[in-house]
Amino acid sequence: MNFTKETKYAIFKASWIILMLGTICDLSLIENLNVGFFNINLQFSSLFLILYLVSFLIIYPLNKINLLFDEKINKVNIIILTLLLMLAFISSYFSIMQKYALVTTISRFTLYFLAFIATILNCRFFAKANEFILKSFIYANFIIVLSSIADYYIYDFNRLLVDNFGHMETKHSAIRIGQITYLRPSGFVTDTNLTAFTIAFASYLLILNRNKFNKFFTYAFYLLSGYSFGMLASRSALLLVIFFLAAALIFKQINWKPILIFTIIFSPIQLLTPQTQGRFFQVADKSKKVEEMETGRPLIWKADVFAMQVKPLLGLGTNVFFKQSDIFISKVRGQINDDIYLKELSDSSHQPEEGINPHNIFLSMIVEYGIAGILLFLILVIYNFNYILRIKKWNSLIAFTGILFVSSISNYAPYYKYYMLLCTVFYVNIKNDLRIERDAGQKK
């Protein structure tokens, strides 16, 4: 088809928005569709991702595919990620839950890896594509903020999310004050900590690029995101916000005034939410601290250690820890003996009452892809850290450090599709240091 470049760019922008909204609002269309070897769950995210890839093939000139490798950073990252993907297929093929692991590897990692490549090429072909992606990401997070507030205050909307958008009603999505339970509303995103993380990241991007947005939108975003953030009551995301602002001041990326304005609007309103108040009660309650050690992250990380020992070379396969997590946790607690433990691990049809992720991206790699997986991932992290340091893109360095921090203590990476989309937004904006091109004379 003979489209002008302007038309192609318009198609790209439309397809990106569809991909982003489809990934955020991951509606289940068809569940448990049997297609030969595979048992498929058809979701908005996969459907819109395929549409994005088809659009890419229509608008992108194949004779310029070499642009993918004209920069060393892209070449090295594509090679490492390709090796990681191949390892994911090998680990999943030899997994006790082979079908589940292979389907997850295809629907999640393979498709989003292809989208990652397509996005890099689109940003090489269209001069302002990366800035459009960054700007649209901020607007999309405003939708996430509104959906989070609606999740709490509109019961029917909450039921819609639970019934159709993969939301889980578990102990991890609530704060308790005495006998009262308060929902931690994640909105369209299916995990509360991931919602808090993306709001924190988008807020930082908005502060950096505040002069590119209407002031009323900027202040409304600060205010509403602060309220939503308070209801999410995510400690890791709160630490991330503090880190972003402190590091931006230290590296002189933002002066004190816009940070002060953001803090004055964003922070106090959180105290109005019962979820944030509940967090304060938990900090002061010694019994809650003991409970956290016995049922929280320390317990899960001990379970990760048991999982590593099952298949130290190849790992369990993609997402299999989630399916077997209750077995490992029961073993840590001493609730099952060795015979039952080994029997449950060999049950390919095992379904947990409440699946839990490893809560650490580095542990995820070694648990699910073994020694080779963690080595490849460490190479990926170290190479990109050194690259960002070498080109002196301080905002990108701050964001990369923050992403690694929350990915090391939270329960979503790399289990959620939206997390991978967020990482793509970050990656294609590294070289412009997460900034929309500034006007001449624009102040920091």
Side-chain angles (χ1 to χ4, degrees):
M1 296 183 187
N2 294 321
F3 295 121
T4 65
K5 194 162 184 178
E6 290 75 14
T7 301
K8 289 181 177 181
Y9 186 46
I11 294 173
F12 155 71
K13 290 195 291 185
S15 65
W16 171 261
I17 291 172
I18 289 171
L19 169 64
M20 185 170 56
L21 294 179
T23 303
I24 293 170
C25 311
D26 197 7
L27 176 66
S28 295
L29 298 175
I30 300 174
E31 295 186 2
N32 299 319
L33 176 66
N34 291 309
V35 182
F37 180 76
F38 298 110
N39 189 17
I40 296 174
N41 293 326
L42 185 60
Q43 297 174 313
F44 256 13
S45 56
S46 299
L47 186 64
F48 288 167
L49 196 154
I50 291 171
L51 181 61
Y52 178 71
L53 294 174
V54 170
S55 298
F56 167 76
L57 293 175
I58 292 173
I59 64 176
Y60 191 83
L62 295 181
N63 62 343
K64 293 186 180 294
I65 205 81
N66 61 311
L67 289 177
L68 182 64
F69 299 111
D70 67 346
E71 291 184 322
K72 185 180 178 181
I73 179 70
N74 292 334
K75 185 186 300 183
V76 172
N77 280 320
I78 293 299
I79 290 172
I80 297 172
L81 289 171
T82 300
L83 291 174
L84 264 173
L85 184 60
M86 291 171 61
L87 184 61
F89 274 104
I90 293 170
S91 298
S92 298
Y93 180 80
F94 290 102
S95 171
I96 187 65
M97 296 185 172
Q98 185 190 75
K99 288 185 180 181
Y100 171 78
L102 286 174
V103 168
T104 306
T105 303
I106 294 170
S107 66
R108 189 162 299 166
F109 296 149
T110 307
L111 286 177
Y112 277 89
F113 177 58
L114 294 175
F116 175 68
I117 292 174
T119 306
I120 292 173
L121 285 169
N122 279 327
C123 290
R124 298 287 293 132
F125 186 62
F126 301 112
K128 297 290 185 179
N130 58 333
E131 294 182 2
F132 172 79
I133 286 171
L134 191 151
K135 198 167 187 177
S136 64
F137 177 77
I138 293 172
Y139 283 125
N141 270 268
F142 192 66
I143 295 173
I144 291 173
V145 166
L146 294 176
S147 72
S148 172
I149 295 172
D151 188 7
Y152 186 75
Y153 285 106
I154 303 175
Y155 177 79
D156 289 340
F157 186 71
N158 171 262
R159 291 296 90 195
L160 176 69
L161 296 177
V162 171
D163 295 338
N164 299 287
F165 290 86
H167 285 239
M168 296 177 64
E169 297 178 288
T170 69
K171 64 181 181 181
H172 298 292
S173 61
I175 292 286
R176 291 172 178 81
I177 304 178
Q179 300 300 314
I180 303 175
T181 300
Y182 294 95
L183 175 73
R184 294 172 63 199
S186 61
F188 283 120
V189 180
T190 55
D191 178 80
T192 51
N193 288 317
L194 182 52
T195 301
F197 171 39
T198 189
I199 291 174
F201 185 45
S203 297
Y204 182 59
L205 293 176
L206 182 55
I207 297 171
L208 288 174
N209 297 286
R210 62 198 176 279
N211 292 323
K212 291 294 182 179
F213 293 85
N214 179 279
K215 283 187 178 181
F216 292 106
F217 170 80
T218 301
Y219 295 147
F221 189 99
Y222 292 171
L223 185 68
L224 294 175
S225 65
Y227 192 77
S228 173
F229 201 83
M231 291 194 292
L232 291 162
S234 172
R235 291 162 294 185
S236 59
L238 180 59
L239 289 173
L240 182 64
V241 170
I242 296 170
F243 168 76
F244 278 157
L245 300 181
L249 278 174
I250 292 169
F251 283 90
K252 298 180 179 179
Q253 297 302 298
I254 311 173
N255 62 40
W256 63 269
K257 186 176 179 180
I259 289 180
L260 180 62
I261 292 172
F262 170 78
T263 303
I264 289 173
I265 298 174
F266 183 82
S267 299
I269 197 168
Q270 295 179 42
L271 298 175
L272 299 178
T273 65
Q275 294 87 347
T276 293
Q277 295 167 22
R279 279 294 189 211
F280 282 119
F281 284 121
Q282 289 182 349
V283 169
D285 191 340
K286 291 184 179 180
S287 65
K288 290 294 182 181
K289 295 178 182 178
V290 173
E291 181 182 349
E292 177 81 12
M293 292 299 294
E294 294 178 349
T295 63
R297 287 171 176 80
L299 176 69
I300 296 168
W301 290 333
K302 289 178 184 178
D304 294 341
V305 174
F306 274 100
M308 291 177 202
Q309 298 168 5
V310 177
K311 285 189 173 183
L313 186 60
L314 284 180
L316 300 176
T318 301
N319 216 32
V320 172
F321 180 88
F322 179 85
K323 287 287 189 179
Q324 297 186 323
S325 56
D326 58 342
I327 304 173
F328 299 118
I329 290 171
S330 295
K331 180 63 175 173
V332 170
R333 287 173 167 168
Q335 295 172 338
I336 56 175
N337 59 36
D338 289 343
D339 290 338
I340 296 175
Y341 175 66
L342 295 173
K343 180 182 178 181
E344 290 294 327
L345 287 178
S346 62
D347 182 3
S348 61
S349 62
H350 179 83
Q351 292 290 335
E353 290 185 11
E354 182 186 343
I356 294 175
N357 301 330
H359 280 62
N360 182 293
I361 194 169
F362 296 96
L363 294 178
S364 294
M365 291 297 165
I366 193 169
V367 165
E368 302 197 338
Y369 307 124
I371 296 171
I374 188 60
L375 288 177
L376 281 171
F377 186 68
L378 286 172
I379 292 170
L380 183 73
V381 169
I382 293 169
Y383 177 79
N384 282 277
F385 185 87
N386 287 335
Y387 169 76
I388 297 171
L389 196 61
R390 189 171 65 252
I391 63 174
K392 297 181 180 179
K393 300 298 183 182
W394 305 122
N395 288 315
S396 298
L397 184 67
I398 291 167
F400 188 54
T401 305
I403 290 171
L404 286 176
F405 165 70
V406 294
S407 301
S408 299
I409 60 175
S410 290
N411 62 315
Y412 47 79
Y415 282 72
Y416 289 87
K417 299 170 185 177
Y418 181 66
Y419 173 83
M420 287 177 278
L421 192 72
L422 185 151
C423 290
T424 299
V425 172
F426 164 76
Y427 183 83
V428 297
N429 282 284
I430 287 176
K431 290 186 71 177
N432 60 306
D433 211 19
L434 307 181
R435 290 185 185 272
I436 300 167
E437 185 177 322
R438 287 179 288 175
D439 300 327
Q442 182 179 317
K443 296 179 181 179
K444 289 181 181 179

